[in-house]
Amino acid sequence: MDDLPFDRDQGSVWTYGPLIVGVPWAPPRRLIVRATELADGLGVHLVCAFVDPSGFLAEFDAAGTRTAGSIDPQTNPESLFPAADVRSALEAVLGTPGDTWSLRVLNGSVPEALARLADSTGASAIVVGGPRYGTRATLSRLLEQSVSARLMRIQRRPVIVVPVP
């Protein structure tokens, strides 16, 4: 019983921290509703986490080496605030953020960013959508594991996968 692969809180096998749900740019309603139902049932706060994979963690750069300039000569003003679209989609389903839910915007590799957030918040579990279907998604998985598969390898807490048709 002592070798359970996830963290404990007060002797139980389930912590009482928030529930993390990884949300893509266009969050599927089914994923959000299921995560909300689970968080409500557990009586925990829901943290919706949007990870921008095109960004990177600047905190690991040596001091004084960070620059504010882009290497991309073409700027796209819409790409500067992708989280605004995510927040609008979440508010359409959940209402205004507050006591029951919040939004976190992260950068970097999606599974690693979600795992770091779960560790820093003492999350009870992480909820993600299932792998996408189609030829393009299958080819993408040949090059890189799905978010859910990678999370299950690197995370010590439960990972709940919600099938999204």
Side-chain angles (χ1 to χ4, degrees):
M1 189 71 110
D2 287 331
D3 59 345
L4 290 173
F6 47 89
D7 299 328
R8 296 173 180 225
D9 183 21
Q10 300 171 353
S12 71
V13 295
W14 189 272
T15 65
Y16 294 98
L19 184 69
I20 307 289
V21 59
V23 294
W25 195 317
R29 181 177 179 82
R30 177 184 170 126
L31 173 64
I32 304 308
V33 169
R34 294 299 174 254
T36 303
E37 291 170 347
L38 181 57
D40 288 346
L42 294 171
V44 298
H45 185 79
L46 179 67
V47 177
C48 299
F50 169 69
V51 182
D52 182 357
S54 65
F56 67 95
L57 288 173
E59 68 212 46
F60 295 118
D61 289 346
T65 62
R66 295 183 209 154
T67 63
S70 171
I71 60 171
D72 186 0
Q74 299 288 351
T75 58
N76 178 359
E78 293 175 1
S79 70
L80 297 177
F81 303 103
D85 294 336
V86 174
R87 182 180 173 133
S88 295
L90 292 171
E91 286 179 342
V93 177
L94 302 172
T96 306
D99 291 337
T100 58
W101 78 278
S102 59
L103 173 64
R104 296 277 184 95
V105 179
L106 310 165
N107 289 313
S109 168
V110 177
E112 283 78 8
L114 291 175
R116 278 193 312 275
L117 178 62
D119 288 341
S120 70
T121 61
S124 54
I126 302 173
V127 178
V128 292
R132 297 173 315 209
Y133 297 100
T135 306
R136 197 165 156 194
T138 302
L139 290 173
S140 176
R141 278 193 301 277
L142 288 174
L143 299 173
E144 187 176 9
Q145 283 183 329
S146 68
V147 170
S148 55
R150 178 78 177 126
L151 265 173
M152 287 186 273
R153 288 182 175 266
I154 66 172
Q155 190 50 240
R156 294 181 43 89
R157 60 193 30 87
V159 175
I160 301 161
V161 181
V162 176
V164 179

